[in-house]
Amino acid sequence: MSKTYQVAGIGNAIVDVISTVDDHFLDHMGIRKGIMQLIERERAETLFGAMRDRQEASGGSVCNTIAGVGALGLKTALVGRVRDDSLGRFFAQDTERTGTAFVNPPVKGGELPTSRSMIFVTPDGERSMNTYLGISSEVGPDDVDDAVMADTEIVFLEGYLFDKDKGKEAFLKAARACHKGGGRVGIALSDPFCVDRHRADFRRLVADEMDYVIGNEKEWTSLYQVNDLDEALALAARDCGIVVCTRSGDPVVVIKDGHRVEAPVNTRIPVDATGAGDQFAAGFLYGLVTGRSMETCGRMGNIAAAEVIGHIGARPRADIHALFKAEGLV
């Protein structure tokens, strides 16, 4: 019996709010050019109020992945937390518009505003990002519907949400419900500093609950506290059935049940590296759901990542399925 959803994600639901400004505006508002800063609520409201000609787009790491998977034609769902405010309603409607079920309605009277990343683009193309995490980082077990998880083939979790105890509880609840329904569960490690803060809990999650894990070199070596990547991946392969390591332009390593393969990367000079990891995961998960080999899954991930770094924005513009077909992968 087929399930309602092929891939469901749990992640930070963030609205990207984009405005074109000049360097004088950055100086006037005290915005550090070309970097991403986490900011508090008062600062977020000040910057949001100062933005002119705002463009809004749904964002967030796993949310971008799920959008990429949905664009490839799979049935997708997203678990995230937004407030019932203008940005929250936009996020929910935009997610549904692109064909993904947003299974949590905006929270009425939510304790925090909807999360937003305010992106100031200067004429030289630099993007200066100021991110307020807001309500999205408060995802907890009450936001996870057992029935949705059990009715999903593959669940994908965002490591950033593992920073809070309620996020850990939500992940355990989701994993166990999905497994009970016969599905598979995995996580993106997301950030080496997040891994550092919660290493013991991450290690338990990987070993006890995850069927696949996606990380980069720094995240894997941090998780196992070793300097040698091959040593880290060998330790990971003992804990988890499918281990994936992206390596910034070098071939992606995939280890399944102890068997290691490498997926080549076509080097491309990035216009905007935002979303490369998110879309790699989208391509990889598409391959996983449709029963491709591990090397093909890795190649699909690389193709999707290469497309998204070729333009501004974290979601694909080209037909990724057509790119797979051109490479003989579908």
Side-chain angles (χ1 to χ4, degrees):
M1 180 175 147
S2 63
K3 294 183 180 293
T4 300
Y5 306 112
Q6 290 166 289
V7 183
I10 304 179
N12 277 301
I14 300 174
V15 179
D16 291 336
V17 187
I18 305 166
S19 181
T20 302
V21 299
D22 56 22
D23 287 296
H24 174 73
F25 178 91
L26 298 184
D27 292 339
H28 178 69
M29 298 303 297
I31 296 168
R32 295 177 63 191
K33 185 173 181 176
I35 67 166
M36 195 283 280
Q37 285 185 286
L38 291 175
I39 57 175
E40 299 299 324
R41 180 173 180 172
E42 184 177 350
R43 172 71 167 163
E45 290 173 349
T46 298
L47 291 180
F48 186 73
M51 298 181 91
R52 297 291 178 263
D53 301 319
R54 294 188 293 247
Q55 292 180 294
E56 296 170 357
S58 301
S61 178
V62 160
C63 300
N64 289 333
T65 296
I66 296 302
V69 173
L72 283 162
L74 299 189
K75 298 175 292 184
T76 53
L78 181 63
V79 174
R81 193 169 176 83
V82 299
R83 187 175 177 174
D84 188 15
D85 53 21
S86 61
L87 287 180
R89 290 188 291 273
F90 165 81
F91 187 96
Q93 291 162 6
D94 191 51
T95 300
E96 293 276 351
R97 179 187 60 78
T98 58
T100 291
F102 190 60
V103 297
N104 302 69
V107 179
K108 294 186 182 298
E111 66 278 18
L112 296 169
T114 294
S115 309
R116 74 284 310 263
S117 180
M118 287 157 289
I119 303 169
F120 300 91
V121 183
T122 41
D124 58 4
E126 284 278 8
R127 292 156 62 88
S128 308
M129 303 171 70
N130 290 254
T131 301
Y132 169 61
L133 290 178
I135 197 173
S136 73
S137 62
E138 298 297 314
V139 167
D142 290 347
D143 298 305
V144 176
D145 185 335
D146 282 350
V148 171
M149 297 296 105
D151 202 17
T152 299
E153 290 182 34
I154 289 181
V155 170
F156 187 46
L157 309 173
E158 183 174 317
Y160 289 120
L161 287 176
F162 207 63
D163 242 346
K164 296 189 176 182
D165 287 342
K166 62 175 70 175
K168 295 174 184 176
E169 293 169 21
F171 283 5
L172 287 175
K173 181 180 180 183
R176 288 166 185 173
C178 181
H179 282 147
K180 192 173 181 180
R184 291 180 284 178
V185 185
I187 191 169
L189 294 177
S190 294
D191 179 79
F193 301 108
C194 187
V195 171
D196 284 340
R197 289 191 292 271
H198 306 281
R199 183 174 291 106
D201 286 340
F202 261 118
R203 292 271 292 269
R204 277 193 292 271
L205 186 76
V206 169
D208 298 341
E209 307 289 347
M210 297 295 102
D211 300 291
Y212 65 93
V213 182
I214 300 174
N216 62 29
E217 296 172 80
K218 289 182 180 178
E219 291 155 4
W220 282 118
T221 53
S222 172
L223 184 63
Y224 288 95
Q225 291 182 286
V226 296
N227 293 321
D228 182 73
L229 178 62
D230 287 336
E231 184 181 355
L233 296 181
L235 292 168
R238 294 179 192 172
D239 285 346
C240 184
I242 299 175
V243 172
V244 185
C245 180
T246 58
R247 299 190 294 165
S248 300
D250 289 327
V252 168
V253 176
V254 185
I255 305 173
K256 180 181 180 183
D257 300 329
H259 178 64
R260 174 174 170 147
V261 297
E262 295 191 1
V265 173
N266 292 326
T267 304
R268 184 172 190 178
I269 298 172
V271 173
D272 175 13
T274 309
D278 305 340
Q279 295 311 319
F280 171 85
F284 185 87
L285 291 178
Y286 176 85
L288 198 60
V289 170
T290 55
R292 265 60 182 196
S293 70
M294 289 297 99
E295 182 183 355
T296 298
C297 290
R299 289 180 63 194
M300 287 176 162
N302 288 339
I303 289 168
E307 189 281 336
V308 83
I309 67 173
H311 57 75
I312 298 292
R315 296 188 177 184
R317 292 181 181 174
D319 181 341
I320 304 297
H321 195 272
L323 297 180
F324 293 168
K325 191 171 184 179
E327 292 289 329
L329 301 182
V330 294

